[in-house]
Amino acid sequence: MAMFWKKDKKAGERDYQKERLTMVEEQLRRRRISDPRVLEAMAKVPRHLFVPGDYQNSAYEDRPLPIGEGQTISQPYMVAIMTQSLELKGREKVLEIGTGSGYQAAILAELARAVYTVERISSLTQSAQKVLHDLGYQNIFFRTGDGSKGWPEEALFDGIMVTAGAPDIPQTFKDQLTEGGRLVIPTGPRYTQTLFKLTREGEQFVEEDVTGCVFVPLVGDHGWKEN
Ligand code: SAM
């Protein structure tokens, strides 16, 4: 768990900590987010440090934001509902596909033992790695490559979160889940998906439909083809 409360605000700057607490109250607690550990992590991680300078003042708004390379940081509520769906207690080894800004990885790193995160665009891996290092996270492991294959060398995972939309649910992710493990993945047509939660029970997977959503595409061998 990283320590950075004090770095957050200098005299005369916006009160990002206050904006963050308002975000938690108005966008998360008033909706379906009830896991106290998820609410605490979202109140702690400085989201404004994960977005480009031009967007810092919008970091706590109820919407996704551009992060460069045609990609986005997800809306806070979507980060929270996906994280809550993993039901993390603190001992888990988690895989995230789509590092993007690194914000979701930070939230997961607050709540799990170790986070393995894969991003296909190397400039995004590098900038995420830098901000997460500067914030003091030591339990996040990075890879640049096609995350639609998962991370077989590090499997099994207690939780897998895919933060890009897939046409359907790749078997690779199911194969890399522990018994009782949870997979959260947006799946469906390219411009509108459903967020599914799957829980492994032996060779069976109990499937729940969590919410509607819109994600950038998962591009790769087990996702969408490029263009
Ligand atoms: N979790 C991110 C965050 O907290 O900022 C947001 C992720 S963004 C919605 C989706 C990310 O998935 C993009 O950065 C995109 O480049 C990445 N992506 C798409 N296909 C991928 C693949 N096959 N493997 C790894 N990353 C992929």
Side-chain angles (χ1 to χ4, degrees):
M1 193 173 284
M3 304 288 290
F4 41 75
W5 285 107
K6 299 270 185 298
K7 278 192 199 167
D8 207 16
K9 182 176 181 291
K10 295 193 193 104
E13 284 184 353
R14 279 172 78 109
D15 191 344
Y16 287 121
Q17 188 175 326
K18 189 172 169 205
E19 291 186 31
R20 202 155 52 240
L21 295 178
T22 305
M23 171 193 86
V24 167
E25 286 308 313
E26 295 183 356
Q27 299 173 37
L28 309 184
R29 214 187 286 275
R30 280 190 200 166
R31 293 179 179 149
R32 285 188 285 166
I33 309 305
S34 55
D35 181 333
R37 296 182 73 239
V38 174
L39 293 166
E40 198 180 322
M42 301 273 307
K44 177 180 176 188
V45 176
R47 181 174 163 92
H48 60 283
L49 299 183
F50 292 85
V51 301
D54 290 355
Y55 289 99
Q56 283 207 336
N57 290 346
S58 304
Y60 298 99
E61 292 175 7
D62 189 15
R63 61 184 175 116
L65 293 170
I67 55 169
E69 306 284 358
Q71 306 303 324
T72 53
I73 179 174
S74 303
Q75 174 198 23
Y77 172 70
M78 192 52 62
V79 172
I81 189 97
M82 292 179 85
T83 308
Q84 180 165 276
S85 298
L86 286 185
E87 299 176 37
L88 300 172
K89 302 286 183 269
R91 298 289 312 150
E92 297 84 356
K93 181 177 183 182
V94 175
L95 175 66
E96 180 200 19
I97 306 303
T99 313
S101 68
Y103 175 69
Q104 175 72 73
I107 298 291
L108 293 171
E110 291 288 334
L111 299 171
R113 175 173 55 83
V115 179
Y116 291 76
T117 183
V118 186
E119 170 57 56
R120 63 184 282 271
I121 301 173
S122 64
S123 61
L124 293 179
T125 306
Q126 284 166 25
S127 49
Q129 211 162 357
K130 180 172 184 333
V131 64
L132 290 164
H133 174 267
D134 290 350
L135 287 171
Y137 288 98
Q138 294 182 343
N139 59 340
I140 306 177
F141 305 93
F142 300 84
R143 171 182 260 190
T144 299
D146 179 8
S148 75
K149 299 172 185 164
W151 193 328
E153 300 84 351
E154 286 295 341
L156 301 170
F157 299 97
D158 305 298
I160 300 179
M161 181 187 291
V162 184
T163 68
D168 43 36
I169 302 175
Q171 183 64 34
T172 44
F173 296 140
K174 294 181 177 177
D175 292 341
Q176 292 179 30
L177 265 189
T178 55
E179 172 63 28
R182 275 85 53 195
L183 164 64
V184 185
I185 180 168
T187 302
R190 192 138 178 169
Y191 299 103
T192 169
Q193 303 95 32
T194 302
L195 182 67
F196 287 103
K197 170 182 174 181
L198 275 70
T199 305
R200 182 167 200 160
E201 290 184 3
E203 291 313 304
Q204 306 294 314
F205 293 84
V206 178
E207 194 171 300
E208 289 169 54
D209 166 344
V210 179
T211 186
C213 54
V214 180
F215 275 83
V216 294
L218 180 77
V219 177
D221 281 4
H222 302 288
W224 297 95
K225 302 297 163 241
E226 208 151 358
N227 300 317

